[in-house]
Amino acid sequence: DVKVTQSSRYLVKRTGEKVFLECVQDMDHENMFWYRQDPGLGLRLIYFSYDVKMKEKGDIPEGYSVSREKKERFSLILESASTNQTSMYLCASSLRGQLTDTQYFGPGTRLTVL
Amino acid sequence: QKEVEQDPGPLSVPEGAIVSLNCTYSNSAFQYFMWYRQYSRKGPELLMYTYSSGNKEDGRFTAQVDKSSKYISLFIRDSQPSDSATYLCAVLMEYGNKLVFGAGTILRVKS
């Protein structure tokens, strides 16, 4: 069974803080993704990574950065959190380089920025 | 204009009803069509995946794609309370590098 875990289920931070969201997958998947999910907007891709140390911008990368130092771990960083980054953050992974491969999602981190 | 439009609902039906969930998309270049199911406080999970036009059936679930009208549907027969979830459609171009998701439809099946 594929397992994607995220470091926190709920997180409350203050405006201007640096925030780290961690994601770990245990199935040796090549691809990892970070999305945010907002009511009425669905899932929007922030960043994705096809391999260690490789990253590509998604649709809404502004205000975010990512790090993939090891294959199993993909981190999302909010350099200076703002209230408009309050959202549900979902990490996903998939086996190969094809986006038709099934994406397996973690349970999500609900981030509130005050 | 959003690339994928999906009515957010909620859609409330009695147990045993046939449910129809729908999405429309704007770009004819999309070739892969997926449905994800998301239970409350969980991440989405892939339900079904089709390529190009046509139908695909898996148990009580049928996915249908009409590329001429850019319309995709998910039908659930004999709906159960355990089907209560948010259903998200997602589309992908032939050589695309990202999935485009709809906003999701909340389904409630009442026992």
Side-chain angles (χ1 to χ4, degrees):
Chain A
D1 240 13
V2 175
K3 196 162 184 188
V4 179
T5 56
Q6 296 183 230
S7 50
S8 307
R9 292 302 301 272
Y10 300 94
L11 212 52
V12 179
K13 294 292 181 180
R14 297 208 174 272
T15 302
E17 279 193 76
K18 191 168 186 175
V19 182
F20 293 87
L21 302 182
E22 304 284 341
C23 175
V24 177
Q25 49 93 3
D26 66 358
M27 284 302 290
D28 203 34
H29 283 178
E30 290 181 9
N31 304 330
M32 296 189 76
F33 308 84
W34 274 107
Y35 293 89
R36 62 178 283 178
Q37 185 174 27
D38 300 288
L41 297 176
L43 272 72
R44 292 179 292 166
L45 183 64
I46 304 171
Y47 268 98
F48 59 104
S49 169
Y50 286 132
D51 202 350
V52 175
K53 296 192 187 294
M54 293 185 68
K55 59 185 179 185
E56 288 202 34
K57 294 179 180 179
D59 293 319
I60 50 165
E62 297 78 20
Y64 303 94
S65 62
V66 291
S67 171
R68 192 159 180 211
E69 296 295 319
K70 293 184 178 181
K71 192 173 187 179
E72 68 271 17
R73 187 179 296 269
F74 192 34
S75 303
L76 180 69
I77 303 151
L78 287 67
E79 295 291 341
S80 177
S82 63
T83 54
N84 63 11
Q85 292 178 310
T86 291
S87 187
M88 170 69 84
Y89 289 88
L90 289 161
C91 174
S93 72
S94 66
L95 180 59
R96 297 184 300 263
Q98 322 250 345
L99 277 165
T100 49
D101 289 345
T102 302
Q103 292 193 21
Y104 295 89
F105 284 84
T109 295
R110 186 164 292 283
L111 173 66
T112 302
V113 183
L114 302 174
Chain B
Q1 184 191 5
K2 286 183 185 177
E3 289 185 279
V4 181
E5 299 274 1
Q6 187 175 8
D7 187 333
L11 179 62
S12 189
V13 301
E15 183 175 354
I18 296 174
V19 175
S20 172
L21 302 165
N22 309 294
C23 288
T24 57
Y25 61 94
S26 57
N27 192 333
S28 57
F30 291 125
Q31 295 284 352
Y32 297 91
F33 306 94
M34 300 166 191
W35 285 96
Y36 280 79
R37 177 177 61 197
Q38 184 177 20
Y39 289 117
S40 181
R41 299 188 191 88
K42 302 272 190 182
E45 56 179 341
L46 182 66
L47 254 186
M48 299 189 70
Y49 151 45
T50 53
Y51 174 71
S52 197
S53 281
N55 291 3
K56 186 172 185 178
E57 194 172 317
D58 184 2
R60 296 184 296 109
F61 297 87
T62 300
Q64 196 172 78
V65 177
D66 182 349
K67 293 191 73 184
S68 62
S69 56
K70 300 190 186 72
Y71 197 81
I72 56 177
S73 302
L74 178 71
F75 298 97
I76 307 174
R77 289 186 302 281
D78 187 25
S79 56
Q80 303 295 310
S82 58
D83 295 328
S84 297
T86 298
Y87 290 80
L88 301 124
C89 61
V91 297
L92 175 68
M93 292 185 188
E94 182 76 46
Y95 300 106
N97 63 357
K98 61 183 176 78
L99 287 176
V100 180
F101 283 87
T105 299
I106 298 169
L107 172 66
R108 295 180 185 141
V109 181
K110 299 173 290 184
S111 57

